């Protein structure tokens, strides 16, 4: 990088005879000679004016070693900042919400009367009840597929098999109803399975039939759940509709983003989340729910277009800190570029150099000012990374007015 011309030392080394020759009364030569000299004269004048302008600007910026623009006393106090070593990052901010996340329906099978139901805010674990049907509690078991048939030991001796049997046995074993029976979580409904079912039914206060009706248990793939809405009305007939709206028990961040932004918030993306109380926690995108959103211009089928919109769910690492902040608005930040532990200055300290590039005005230990050319890297949060330049951490730089 070339250096800035030193103020007060303007280049006036041109041949003065050229100025004399360019005078209307000066000696004349052939036209070509005079034309060439005129061009050199114009160039010399432009150079003198340009260098003088740089000198004036240097005085105004305080580059002349701590003297004011008149050169007759100390410069007026200027704002300064300290060169710091820090980490910088750039990325995308998305407005979101802290809450319990996407709601799921808990559906009751048709038949019978709803005699009791959980209340909003209740936290339920596998094996605990969600509602009562005809006075008998209906619990939930953990599983990703609902029961679709009655599970039982066949009288013919032919054993019932299937993934639904395996799911039932896994829960009976996990909840302790198969202790001492030697039951394994395979897909066969055995005599030991029947015994475990009867133990479970006794605990519920249900008839000990040894068989499991699809309406007697709800399969939900959740380690535990929180009731967000109680939809069912006690005393009504069960029709196969949703009785509860449920969520997970951990607070999460959710945000609606455009389809174009989705590539930067795909599942697995790590990000920072600013909580309602101002604290920040780490998060990871875990789920994306994409739905069409209506644009202006009419309904579908009537000339109206639709655009994709997605709801992103972000799990939050420090639940204690998140719950202290409580539900409310949040800001999700995805970092694209990072610069760790680098020297940085405020962007307002950067000076555009006449020869190109940037410099900063450094306050030296003796109070004198020195212009130092620098190369900048990442710019973020009103700070610029210094990748090249004779600067040290802790040095003061001037913030021009």
């Amino acid at each position: 990088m070339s250096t800035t011309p030193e103020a007060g030392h303007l280049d006036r080394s041109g041949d003065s005879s050229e100025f004399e020759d360019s005078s209307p009364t000066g000696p004349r030569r052939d036209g070509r000679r005079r034309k060439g000299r005129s061009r050199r004269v114009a160039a010399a004048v432009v150079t003198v004016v340009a260098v003088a302008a740089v000198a004036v600007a240097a005085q105004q910026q305080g580059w002349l070693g701590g003297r004011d623009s008149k050169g007759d006393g100390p410069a007026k106090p200027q704002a300064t900042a300290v060169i710091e070593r820090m980490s910088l990052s750039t990325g995308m901010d998305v407005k979101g919400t802290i809450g319990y996340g996407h709601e799921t329906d808990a559906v009751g099978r048709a038949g019978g009367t709803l005699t009791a139901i959980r209340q909003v805010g209740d936290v339920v674990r596998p094996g605990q009840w969600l509602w009562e049907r005809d006075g008998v509690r209906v619990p939930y078991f953990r599983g990703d597929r609902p029961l679709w048939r009655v599970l039982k030991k066949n009288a013919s001796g032919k054993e019932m098999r299937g993934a639904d049997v395996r799911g039932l046995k896994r829960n009976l074993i996990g909840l302790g109803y198969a202790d001492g029976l030697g039951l394994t979580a395979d897909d066969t409904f055995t005599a030991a399975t029947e015994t475990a079912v009867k133990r479970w039914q006794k605990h519920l206060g249900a008839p000990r039939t040894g068989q499991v009706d699809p309406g007697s248990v709800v399969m939900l793939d959740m380690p535990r759940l929180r009731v967000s809405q109680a939809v069912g009305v006690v005393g009504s007939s069960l029709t196969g509709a949703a009785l509860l709206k449920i969520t997970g028990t951990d607070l999460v961040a959710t945000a609606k983003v455009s389809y174009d932004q989705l590539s930067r918030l795909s599942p697995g993306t790590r990000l920072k989340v600013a909580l309602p109380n101002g604290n920040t926690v780490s998060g990871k995108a875990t789920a994306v729910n994409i739905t069409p959103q209506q644009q202006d211009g009419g309904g579908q089928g009537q000339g109206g277009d639709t655009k994709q919109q997605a709801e992103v769910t972000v799990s939050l690492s420090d639940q204690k800190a998140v719950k202290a902040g409580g539900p409310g608005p949040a800001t999700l930040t995805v970092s694209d570029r990072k610069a760790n532990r680098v020297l940085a200055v405020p962007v307002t300290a950067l000076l555009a150099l006449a020869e190109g590039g940037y410099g900063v005005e450094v306050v030296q230990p003796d109070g004198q000012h020195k212009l130092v050319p620098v190369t900048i890297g990442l710019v973020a949060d009103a700070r610029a990374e210094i990748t090249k330049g004779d600067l040290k951490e802790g040095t003061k730089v001037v913030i021009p007015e």
Side-chain angles (χ1 to χ4, degrees):
M1 177 179 294
S2 60
T3 58
T4 303
E6 185 177 352
H9 294 78
L10 304 183
D11 183 3
R12 304 183 185 275
S13 60
D15 186 354
S16 61
S17 64
E18 290 190 10
F19 293 91
E20 294 173 359
D21 290 346
S22 64
S23 169
T25 60
R28 302 180 64 89
R29 304 180 190 273
D30 61 49
R32 179 167 37 182
R33 178 65 172 170
R34 182 173 180 179
K35 184 177 181 181
R37 286 184 176 180
S38 297
R39 288 174 179 171
R40 287 197 298 272
V41 169
V45 172
V46 171
T47 300
V48 170
V49 172
V51 175
V54 171
V56 171
Q59 287 181 323
Q60 292 175 343
Q61 293 291 350
W63 300 347
L64 299 182
R67 300 187 64 82
D68 65 14
S69 59
K70 296 180 181 179
D72 57 2
K76 295 179 181 180
Q78 293 176 292
T80 60
V82 176
I83 299 174
E84 298 179 273
R85 189 170 294 279
M86 60 176 57
S87 296
L88 301 175
S89 64
T90 61
M92 175 182 70
D93 287 346
V94 178
K95 297 299 182 183
T97 304
I98 302 295
Y100 288 97
H102 185 69
E103 288 184 329
T104 300
D105 290 338
V107 178
R109 293 294 293 262
T113 300
L114 183 66
T115 52
I117 194 169
R118 288 283 188 176
Q119 300 302 304
V120 173
D122 285 353
V123 174
V124 187
R125 293 175 173 80
Q128 296 180 329
W129 68 280
L130 296 177
W131 54 76
E132 284 185 0
R133 181 183 66 168
D134 295 338
V136 177
R137 290 182 172 181
V138 177
Y140 98 86
F141 281 176
R142 189 169 183 182
D144 58 358
R145 300 177 69 184
L147 300 185
W148 65 89
R149 58 178 177 169
V150 176
L151 301 181
K152 61 183 180 179
K153 186 175 180 298
N154 287 330
S156 63
K158 185 177 181 180
E159 295 174 328
M160 180 176 285
R161 299 175 181 273
D164 49 352
V165 174
R166 183 168 58 253
L168 171 67
K169 295 176 73 172
R170 185 182 298 115
N171 280 274
L172 292 172
I173 293 170
L175 294 171
Y177 295 113
D179 291 353
L181 299 178
L183 199 64
T184 59
D186 56 26
D187 61 359
T188 304
F189 197 105
T190 62
T193 308
E194 184 181 58
T195 300
V197 169
K198 288 181 178 180
R199 290 178 179 178
W200 168 57
Q201 290 172 331
K202 179 181 179 180
H203 175 78
L204 292 177
R208 299 176 61 189
T209 62
Q211 58 186 21
V212 181
D213 180 88
S216 64
V217 64
V218 181
M219 304 296 287
L220 297 167
D221 193 17
M222 305 174 72
R224 57 181 182 170
L225 59 85
R226 177 183 179 275
V227 176
S228 57
Q229 293 185 55
V231 181
V233 178
V234 173
S236 63
S237 299
L238 297 174
T239 61
L243 299 178
L244 294 173
K245 299 281 188 180
I246 57 175
T247 66
T249 56
D250 284 346
L251 286 169
V252 299
T254 57
K256 292 186 182 298
V257 299
S258 67
Y259 192 69
D260 293 338
Q261 295 173 312
L262 192 56
S263 61
R264 301 170 72 181
L265 280 166
S266 57
T269 300
R270 296 190 178 277
L271 59 159
K272 295 292 184 180
V273 179
L275 304 175
N277 63 359
N279 292 334
T280 301
V281 297
S282 299
K284 183 173 73 172
T286 55
V288 176
N289 182 34
I290 300 176
T291 57
Q293 182 185 28
Q294 187 69 41
Q295 285 185 330
D296 294 336
Q300 295 186 37
Q302 299 177 1
D305 295 328
T306 60
K307 63 180 180 180
Q308 293 287 75
Q309 188 180 49
E311 182 181 73
V312 177
T313 301
V314 177
S315 64
L316 304 174
S317 58
D318 189 347
Q319 282 294 306
K320 184 177 180 180
V322 177
K323 289 177 180 177
T331 301
L332 286 61
T333 301
V334 182
S335 296
D336 291 333
R337 294 180 58 198
K338 294 182 180 180
N340 295 320
R341 301 291 298 162
V342 297
L343 290 179
V345 299
V347 293
T348 50
L350 296 174
L351 300 169
L353 302 181
E355 66 271 25
Y358 296 95
V360 292
E361 185 180 349
V362 172
V363 181
Q364 301 182 96
D366 61 0
Q368 298 295 301
H369 291 194
K370 178 183 178 183
L371 180 64
V372 178
V374 296
T375 302
I376 65 173
L378 182 64
V379 177
D381 299 326
R383 298 276 176 167
E385 174 194 4
I386 303 300
T387 60
K388 185 178 180 181
D390 187 16
L391 300 177
K392 294 181 180 179
E393 182 179 0
T395 301
K396 288 185 178 180
V397 294
V398 173
I399 306 297
E401 294 181 358

